[in-house]
Amino acid sequence: MAHLGLVAVVVRDYDEAIAYYTDALGFELREDTPRQDGGRWVVVAPPGARETGLLLARATTPEQTARIGDQTGGRVGLFLNTEDFDGDYKRMVAAGVVFEEEPRYEPYGAVVVFHDLYGNRWDLIQPV
C-alpha cells in the first residue's frame, strides 16, 4: 500500500530549523545530506514515526521565501499526533513553543493549536 513519505516545509535556514524541530518539538534528525547544488536534504520526524517525515526545504527564490510560515493560507496544515498530550504540551511550553490557545478536550480528542518557528499552524492532538 502506498503511504505519504515526506511533507516539505519551506524554511529560512537549515540549521535553525533543525534546532527548532529537534529541540522544541522533540523530533529526530533522520537525514542531513549535502546536495551538489549547495542545498541539503534534511529530514526530521517524531520519534518512532515509521512513514511520514518533514523535509526541511530552504527557500531559494523570492516566491519560496514569501511562503515561509504561511504554506496553508493561515489554516492549520500540520497535525502532530501524540499518546501523551499533557506531557508533550508541558514539554513544548517549557521549550518555548508558541501556543495560540489553551488545550481543548473535544469529542474527537485533546487538541491545542501551536505555531512553529516560522508561523505555520499545527495541531497537537491526542485522538480519542
Side-chain angles (χ1 to χ4, degrees):
M1 171 60 82
H3 68 272
L4 188 61
L6 294 173
V7 175
V9 174
V10 181
V11 301
R12 188 174 36 240
D13 177 82
Y14 293 118
D15 293 324
E16 76 176 1
I18 291 168
Y20 177 82
Y21 284 100
T22 59
D23 296 342
L25 299 190
F27 285 20
E28 298 172 338
L29 177 61
R30 296 280 173 89
E31 185 173 357
D32 186 355
T33 304
R35 297 178 46 196
Q36 290 182 358
D37 65 2
R40 290 158 57 185
W41 186 263
V42 178
V43 177
V44 296
R50 291 175 293 192
E51 294 182 347
T52 306
L54 292 181
L55 174 67
L56 303 180
R58 185 180 48 129
T60 59
T61 68
E63 293 80 13
Q64 292 170 1
T65 300
R67 302 299 189 278
I68 294 172
D70 190 23
Q71 295 181 195
T72 60
R75 293 191 58 114
V76 170
L78 298 160
F79 300 82
L80 181 58
N81 283 19
T82 180
E83 295 176 354
D84 181 12
F85 182 82
D86 292 329
D88 284 338
Y89 174 73
K90 288 175 185 173
R91 181 186 54 74
M92 291 167 68
V93 167
V97 174
V98 177
F99 288 87
E100 65 177 58
E101 63 182 358
E102 293 296 315
R104 295 178 280 124
Y105 299 89
E106 304 289 349
Y108 55 84
V111 64
V112 65
V113 178
F114 70 92
H115 296 233
D116 69 13
L117 174 66
Y118 301 105
N120 294 302
R121 296 178 76 218
W122 292 63
D123 272 358
L124 174 65
I125 185 168
Q126 182 171 359
V128 173

